[in-house]
Amino acid sequence: MKLVVVSAGLSVPSSTRLLADRLAAATVGETSADVQVVELRDLAVEIAHNFTSGFPGPALASAIDAVRAADGLVVVTPVFSASYSGLFKSFFDVLSVSDQDALAGKPVLIAATGGSARHSLVLEHALRPLFSYLRAVVVPTAVYAASEDWGAEGLASRIDRAAGELAGLMKGALGAGAGRGEAAREHESASASVPELPAQGGGVRSVALDSSRSGFEVVPFAQQLAALQP
């Protein structure tokens, strides 16, 4: 199981990276997942070049592949102008352009940091709609850490609750993925056994199951309709 952490912090040290690390550690405690951290600060130049050239550099391509292959994501951004940072949005723009299904069905824990608790709604009016649009499965508990939250009561419990929800979704997604794979194989096997029906004279024909045999019998629609009349 693989957990990928995307941090959009710019400073060193970064409260955004600190929150990302705490969320990752809490999730690993529930899943024993392998963790890979993607620091968007280190990819800023390649992200900008990707917009002009249409091709990702090697480090950016590696980060995109890591996100695609992840069983779950922790994404953390600092707040800029009451929303996510431009670097954060640009990375996910590049990701969705390269593969519009990259996050479809993938469990994602959203989090943000800011200087004031007044920006906490960025999680609901900016981040959650973004990842819903990308068809990710966003955990119910989002985590915001203002400057005064570090060392205060409440942040640790929010981190643990959100990490538990992400771990549960990651485990469930793996099980559901295996089930979907088995169902898909059964569907392909069943589809392969159904013969193609050539059109005859432009008439409408349907396929009816013959329970007395292990195959399908082609029955003209007119004959079926006549059988229903008194």
Side-chain angles (χ1 to χ4, degrees):
M1 191 178 298
K2 182 179 180 181
L3 174 69
V4 172
V5 179
V6 179
S7 171
L10 296 178
S11 60
V12 180
S14 165
S15 61
T16 300
R17 175 61 188 271
L18 176 60
L19 179 58
D21 288 343
R22 290 188 60 178
L23 289 166
T27 305
V28 169
E30 299 280 347
T31 63
S32 299
D34 295 325
V35 179
Q36 180 175 346
V37 178
V38 174
E39 281 278 12
L40 298 186
R41 178 185 64 246
D42 300 332
L43 301 174
V45 173
E46 289 194 16
I47 290 172
H49 287 169
N50 187 93
F51 281 114
T52 57
S53 69
F55 297 98
L60 179 57
S62 177
I64 290 172
D65 289 341
V67 170
R68 284 174 176 159
D71 297 302
L73 296 177
V74 172
V75 298
V76 191
T77 178
V79 174
F80 282 97
S81 301
S83 187
Y84 35 65
S85 71
L87 181 60
F88 182 86
K89 179 60 162 57
S90 294
F91 174 74
F92 287 102
D93 284 345
V94 168
L95 176 68
S96 62
V97 168
S98 65
D99 181 1
Q100 61 182 357
D101 297 322
L103 298 186
K106 195 179 299 293
V108 177
L109 192 167
I110 57 174
T113 58
S116 168
R118 291 176 297 176
H119 295 301
S120 60
L121 286 177
V122 69
L123 296 166
E124 304 303 326
H125 75 69
L127 270 77
R128 195 176 297 275
L130 170 62
F131 287 96
S132 295
Y133 173 78
L134 296 174
R135 293 180 291 151
V137 179
V138 185
V139 304
T141 301
V143 180
Y144 180 83
S147 298
E148 62 266 25
D149 288 328
W150 298 103
E153 295 182 3
L155 179 59
S157 63
R158 295 199 304 275
I159 288 173
D160 289 341
R161 184 168 64 249
E165 292 169 355
L166 177 61
L169 284 173
M170 288 172 66
K171 295 172 184 176
L174 286 178
R180 286 194 298 269
E182 182 178 352
R185 287 191 296 271
E186 292 178 354
H187 175 73
E188 290 172 359
S189 177
S191 298
S193 65
V194 179
E196 294 185 0
L197 303 180
Q200 298 182 6
V204 179
R205 299 172 67 83
S206 64
V207 178
L209 178 64
D210 183 356
S211 60
S212 65
R213 294 184 292 178
S214 59
F216 292 90
E217 179 183 5
V218 178
V219 180
F221 178 71
Q223 182 179 332
Q224 293 186 51
L225 183 61
L228 295 175
Q229 296 177 352

